[in-house]
């Protein structure tokens, strides 16, 4: 299992499906879904990311917005996706409730989140320790399911494995996710390198391998 396959399956058939990518960043997921016929709208609070996404995916629509305050009408979409973004949202509960509001009754909300474990996480910690925010995102999600605000159709954990030629490609990957990490990388490079070398395995070609466990939930609003 991988995140894109799971998202495809959750919203199949994709052609004509109205989807909102919440925390779209530079538009990688939006581009993949739009390329398969979905009508995608991406939102992100970072204007630079939205400019980049709009240039990369001209067939989709993009807007600068917070996940906790979506500028769309009720039931405007067939489904919503949070791909590795919920833990970055200070108001995660509000963002999930907003997703329920803008998705039609019976429409699915897919949340894919990295867990606070795994070798990729260990290598990342000297750059940015996301232990608290990742655990908080999981707790918020579980609380809304327990309270009956969300219904969970499917809950699974799978691993994403990535290979790197060395430290610099890993750091490029980390920076692509969040350019604001540049300062921490410059200040802590020695500690980051030590953590990277300690955490990474090696494949049969000598490349470094880091593994990140992910939790994926396919949800609907209880009102559905």
């Amino acid at each position: 299992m991988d995140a894109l396959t799971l998202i495809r399956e959750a919203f199949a058939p994709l052609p004509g499906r109205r989807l909102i990518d919440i925390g779209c960043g530079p538009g990688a997921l939006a581009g993949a879904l739009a390329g398969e016929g979905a009508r995608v709208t991406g939102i992100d609070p970072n204007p630079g990311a939205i400019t980049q996404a709009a240039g990369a995916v001209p067939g989709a629509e993009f807007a600068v917005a917070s996940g906790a305050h979506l500028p769309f009408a009720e039931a405007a979409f067939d489904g919503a996706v949070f791909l590795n973004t919920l833990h970055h949202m200070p108001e995660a509960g509000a963002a999930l409730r907003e997703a329920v509001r803008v998705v039609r009754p019976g429409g699915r909300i897919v949340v894919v989140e990295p867990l606070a474990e795994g070798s990729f996480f260990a290598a990342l910690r000297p750059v940015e320790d996301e232990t608290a925010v990742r655990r908080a995102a999981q707790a918020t999600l579980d609380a809304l399911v327990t309270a009956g605000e969300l219904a969970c159709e499917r809950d699974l954990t799978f691993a994403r494995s990535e290979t790197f030629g060395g430290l610099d490609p890993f750091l490029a990957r980390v920076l692509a996710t969040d350019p604001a990490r540049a300062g921490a990388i410059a200040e802590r490079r020695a500690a980051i390198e030590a953590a990277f070398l300690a955490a990474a395995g090696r494949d049969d070609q000598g490349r470094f391998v880091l593994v990140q466990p992910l939790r994926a939930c396919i949800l609907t609003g209880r009102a559905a």
Side-chain angles (χ1 to χ4, degrees), residues 4-23:
L4 183 56
T5 297
L6 183 141
I7 291 165
R8 285 188 182 119
E9 292 177 355
F11 297 121
L14 283 174
R17 194 75 74 186
R18 301 167 302 162
L19 302 177
I20 179 168
D21 180 3
I22 301 175

Side-chain angles (χ1 to χ4, degrees), residues 37-55:
R39 296 163 54 194
V40 183
T41 297
I43 70 98
D44 198 284
N46 183 341
I50 290 298
T51 298
Q52 188 175 351

Side-chain angles (χ1 to χ4, degrees), residues 58-134:
E61 296 184 3
F62 296 95
V64 177
S66 160
H69 303 283
L70 298 176
F72 306 106
E74 293 183 11
F77 300 96
D78 297 311
V81 185
F82 295 83
L83 178 58
N84 299 326
T85 57
L86 189 65
H87 66 285
H88 291 297
M89 299 181 182
E91 301 177 84
L96 288 167
R97 292 185 180 99
E98 275 287 85
V100 172
R101 182 183 68 79
V102 302
V103 169
R104 63 171 173 79
R108 288 170 167 165
I109 299 163
V110 177
V111 178
V112 181
E113 273 289 298
L115 299 175
E117 58 189 67
S119 56
F120 191 102
F121 173 71
L124 177 66
R125 285 185 74 178
V127 180
E128 182 177 2
D129 189 348
E130 293 188 338
T131 303
V133 293
R134 292 189 183 190

